[in-house]
Amino acid sequence: MNALRPCLLPILALLPGLACAADVDGATLSLGWALPFAGILLSIALFPLFAPSLWHHHFGKIVGLWTLAFLVPFAAVFGGQASAALVVHALVGEYIPFIVLLFALYTISGGILVWGNLHGSAKLNTGLLAIGTLLASVMGTTGAAMLLIRPLLRANDNRKHRVHVVVFFIFLVANVGGGLTPLGDPPLFLGFLKGVDFLWTLEHMALPVALLALALLALFYVVDGYFYRREDEWTLRDPSPDSPLRLYGKGNFLLLGGVIGAVLMSGLWKPQIGFDVLGTQVQLQNLLRDLLLLALALLSLALTPKQVRAGNEFAWDPILEVGKLFAGIFITIAPAIAILRAGHEGHLAALVGWVTGADGAPVNNLYFWMSGLLSSVLDNAPTYLVFFNLAAGDAQVLMERLPQTLLAISMGSVFMGAVTYIGNAPNFMVKAIAEQRGVPMPSFFGYMLWSGAILMPLFALLSLVFFIGDLGF
């Protein structure tokens, strides 16, 4: 596999991280080029733990320094033209469409206020998580997460023990719930754009999503009930009577429908009209999609009463934090993806060999684990495409001849995006909003302790259920 081949059309760049290092062959890159990317990941993990004040005030500068630590040597070795092409591809072809989509979903869903005097009991919290899990495949994990995280936090604002509520919310609403349709999670939409049928995803992902979601909801009900019983009696008192849920800003649901329509349009309408920007092809349908998304977000800001956003305590800090962090991630992830795409010729050839049997057939269980574990640190959308291409690269072949392999890649990419804060973009947004509301969220590694203890055993069971005849060990 050669990284000299043309970069994929920006229609795929609606989703994050598909870096193509211009004219650089991924087989020639050492793993040292991925150190700045690893530096960003370690900074996200360690600074909030050991220097929280420094990170809070200067995280953008820290990410910028790591980005320069990659770009300056890269320009010295490969030249200014290759560096400029890489940055343009990362920002114009990938980052801008990605952040525009998130901006639209964040802004529009922030204009929908779910109001009611609710008590965060185990029954109520489990119900809200279940609703969010179902909505995630209809309005995307970002849209569902932004819609329900605020009412969930308000319902539990009088509770001392509430970290677990947000953690399970990330597991279910920001990740697992998006596994039913291509609209739900970026990797599946990427597969849809590559030719995977909409109904194929729904049919084959329905059972694993249902099993994992039900297991997590049942476990959450037990855990939340335990912590609820440990609350001090005075923290659970609420002098106001319960009131039913009310929806404000309902017109934003129409705007969310517009977002879904704009995204689908960019995948279905291909007029073959594009513009070249330093080697990055900007297709007309993608440009139109991004303009429509911006227009829909601005309409939401103009039409939604200020009182509605005030009720949501709407602020720009979470999307700004995600924007700054992912700008650096999009650029510095380029060599890591290029090395992976080099396959057996790259410095991660051993990893590629692990997922292939002696007869050349894919080892589905390892496709599940490797696509999943890499999704947790490299972002799940580009990782999905790497393994999609590694398995066959043809949607028809995968759907008809290798359906279990495609299922393994889909399950791993969607489900294991929940393992770290950076595995899927909504994870970090939920964390930022929760911290803004005073929830002491766990550190990068602290969150991984939660995901490791809860999710990994469930993933092991799923691998036995769906890939028991293909363990690869």
Side-chain angles (χ1 to χ4, degrees), residues 189-198 270 388 394-396 399:
F189 185 71
L190 205 58
F192 172 69
L193 296 179
K194 291 287 287 182
V196 177
D197 292 342
F198 191 99
K270 300 178 181 180
F388 183 96
D394 186 290
Q396 293 301 318
M399 287 188 295

Side-chain angles (χ1 to χ4, degrees), residues 381-395:
T383 304
Y384 171 95
L385 192 62
V386 166
F387 284 92
F388 183 96
N389 287 327
L390 189 62
D394 186 290

Side-chain angles (χ1 to χ4, degrees), residues 91-108:
L91 298 183
V92 175
E94 299 173 2
Y95 175 74
I96 291 177
F98 164 70
I99 204 66
V100 165
L101 176 62
L102 284 186
F103 170 76
L105 289 171
Y106 180 81
T107 303
I108 296 170

Side-chain angles (χ1 to χ4, degrees), residues 187-394:
L188 300 182
F189 185 71
L190 205 58
F192 172 69
L193 296 179
K194 291 287 287 182
V196 177
D197 292 342
F198 191 99
L199 293 179
W200 188 98
T201 302
L202 180 60
E203 177 185 351
H204 288 78
M205 287 291 286
L207 183 57
V209 168
L211 290 176
L212 184 55
L214 288 173
L216 285 171
L217 287 169
L219 182 59
F220 172 77
Y221 184 81
V222 173
V223 171
D224 196 42
Y226 168 76
F227 281 115
Y228 188 82
R229 290 189 295 273
R230 290 187 60 193
E231 296 283 351
D232 296 329
E233 184 178 348
W234 68 271
T235 64
L236 298 177
R237 293 177 181 174
D238 190 342
S240 303
D242 287 343
S243 59
L245 286 178
R246 292 183 180 179
L247 273 178
Y248 298 91
K250 297 177 184 177
N252 283 287
F253 282 109
L254 294 177
L255 298 180
L256 281 174
V259 170
I260 294 171
V263 171
L264 287 177
M265 175 276 298
S266 68
L268 299 175
W269 178 56
K270 300 178 181 180
Q272 304 300 321
I273 300 174
F275 314 92
D276 185 273
V277 182
L278 289 182
T280 296
Q281 287 293 314
V282 180
Q283 296 294 312
L284 176 62
Q285 66 269 26
N286 296 323
L287 181 61
L288 179 59
R289 177 201 62 224
D290 294 344
L291 291 174
L292 285 172
L293 293 176
L294 286 174
L296 291 167
L298 293 176
L299 271 175
S300 176
L301 287 172
L303 299 178
T304 304
K306 293 182 179 180
Q307 297 90 331
V308 172
R309 293 193 185 275
N312 269 330
E313 297 180 36
F314 182 85
W316 295 111
D317 290 345
I319 190 69
L320 288 175
E321 182 174 357
V322 169
K324 290 178 182 179
L325 291 176
F326 274 87
I329 288 173
F330 269 57
I331 294 173
T332 59
I333 200 177
I337 295 298
I339 292 170
L340 278 173
R341 294 178 69 230
H344 291 284
E345 300 174 8
H347 281 77
L348 289 173
L351 183 150
V352 176
W354 288 341
V355 299
T356 306
D359 57 355
V363 182
N364 296 326
N365 187 64
L366 292 180
Y367 262 90
F368 169 68
W369 282 103
M370 296 310 300
S371 63
L373 292 176
L374 283 174
S375 288
S376 69
V377 294
L378 293 180
D379 195 273
N380 55 8
T383 304
Y384 171 95
L385 192 62
V386 166
F387 284 92
F388 183 96
N389 287 327
L390 189 62
D394 186 290

